[in-house]
């Protein structure tokens, strides 16, 4: 449970095609594509050299360095506390929301200062509305834990589920789900017709911008 699994991203915060990911399987992301690294001695470069490499093996050292900085500054931290600090202080990114535990990129300054990104108004990220046969899933940022409401066509849905494992450091959630059932889902989201979805936080009175989705 104290293992930190690192996903690889490119310079634009996009998850690398070769990278591991998964909310339960990857902890945080770090740069891992086209990273300049030392290369071993060869007959062509007897003194060693540098070259660009890609892989999660390039991403993991970034996080290892942050862990070393944390321990040099706060040697009393336990492994569990370090992992939680790394997750809580990660820099949230739309590309990584709900795809890894931290929903973002490791941030050394935030980790050292224990700075957590403040809660924002709710918003749904691109491609953040998905469906199964019975369930509506919404991914984004700033969803109030325990009270955020999914609205479809301006009308609130009953039965929104809140999973605290999808909480960011500031306590807001990145994922909401609603098990609507086959018939209600088909009725609310007719095939080929654009439908407006919003998230409302009654505790703050904030509502996300309109998000239009079409089910095919």
């Amino acid at each position: 449970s104290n293992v930190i699994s690192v996903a690889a991203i490119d310079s634009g915060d996009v998850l690398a095609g070769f990278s591991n990911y998964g909310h339960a399987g990857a902890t945080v992301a770090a740069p891992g594509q086209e990273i300049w690294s030392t290369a071993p001695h060869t007959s062509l470069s007897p003194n060693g050299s540098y070259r660009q490499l890609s892989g999660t093996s390039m991403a993991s050292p970034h996080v290892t360095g942050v862990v070393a900085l944390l321990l040099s500054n706060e040697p009393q931290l336990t492994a569990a506390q370090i992992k939680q600090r790394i997750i809580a202080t990660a820099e949230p990114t739309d590309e990584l929301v709900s795809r890894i535990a931290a929903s973002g990129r490791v941030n050394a300054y935030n980790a050292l200062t224990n700075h957590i990104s403040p809660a924002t108004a709710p918003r749904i990220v691109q491609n953040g509305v998905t469906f199964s046969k019975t369930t509506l899933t919404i991914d984004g940022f700033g969803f109030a834990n325990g009270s955020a409401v999914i609205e479809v066509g301006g009308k609130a849905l009953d039965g929104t589920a809140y999973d605290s494992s999808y909480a960011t450091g500031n306590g807001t959630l990145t994922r909401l789900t609603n098990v609507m059932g086959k018939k209600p889902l088909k009725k609310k989201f007719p095939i080929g017709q654009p439908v407006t979805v919003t998230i409302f936080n009654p505790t703050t009175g904030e509502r996300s911008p309109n998000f239009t989705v079409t089910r095919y």
Side-chain angles (χ1 to χ4, degrees):
S1 61
N2 294 331
V3 173
I4 298 176
S5 176
V6 183
I9 53 175
D10 65 15
S11 59
D13 283 335
V14 176
L15 191 70
F18 55 77
S19 179
N20 56 320
Y21 66 93
H23 183 70
T27 308
V28 71
Q33 197 153 10
E34 298 181 349
I35 304 299
W36 281 100
S37 180
T38 53
H41 295 261
T42 66
S43 58
L44 296 177
S45 56
N47 295 320
S49 63
Y50 293 89
R51 62 177 175 174
Q52 282 188 329
L53 298 171
S54 297
T56 52
S57 56
M58 293 292 102
S60 295
H62 287 83
V63 180
T64 303
V66 174
V67 171
L69 287 171
L70 273 174
L71 282 173
S72 67
N73 193 50
E74 300 178 61
Q76 77 282 1
L77 290 176
T78 66
Q81 289 171 329
I82 289 171
K83 181 176 181 179
Q84 184 53 41
R85 178 79 67 87
I86 293 291
I87 293 173
T89 60
E91 191 75 23
T93 69
D94 287 15
E95 170 73 17
L96 299 170
V97 63
S98 298
R99 300 185 74 184
I100 58 175
S103 286
R105 170 185 8 94
V106 69
N107 187 303
Y109 177 82
N110 286 356
L112 284 172
T113 59
N114 201 16
H115 173 74
I116 295 171
S117 298
T120 62
R123 65 182 179 88
I124 302 170
V125 299
Q126 185 177 5
N127 301 318
V129 179
T130 55
F131 310 92
S132 70
K133 291 182 178 180
T134 61
T135 304
L136 170 66
T137 300
I138 311 288
D139 287 323
F141 290 107
F143 304 157
N145 190 2
S147 63
V149 178
I150 299 173
E151 299 173 326
V152 178
K155 296 182 179 180
L157 294 181
D158 293 328
T160 296
Y162 315 95
D163 184 345
S164 293
S165 71
Y166 283 88
T168 60
N170 58 43
T172 58
L173 301 183
T174 64
R175 172 166 287 186
L176 301 173
T177 57
N178 192 292
V179 182
M180 301 175 64
K182 287 184 180 181
K183 289 184 178 179
L185 192 147
K186 289 180 179 180
K187 183 177 180 180
K188 288 283 188 181
F189 296 92
I191 294 292
Q193 295 186 24
V195 177
T196 299
V197 178
T198 50
I199 303 298
F200 178 60
N201 286 346
T203 52
T204 62
E206 296 172 317
R207 179 175 278 106
S208 70
N210 289 346
F211 187 95
T212 302
V213 61
T214 303
R215 191 170 68 93
Y216 294 101

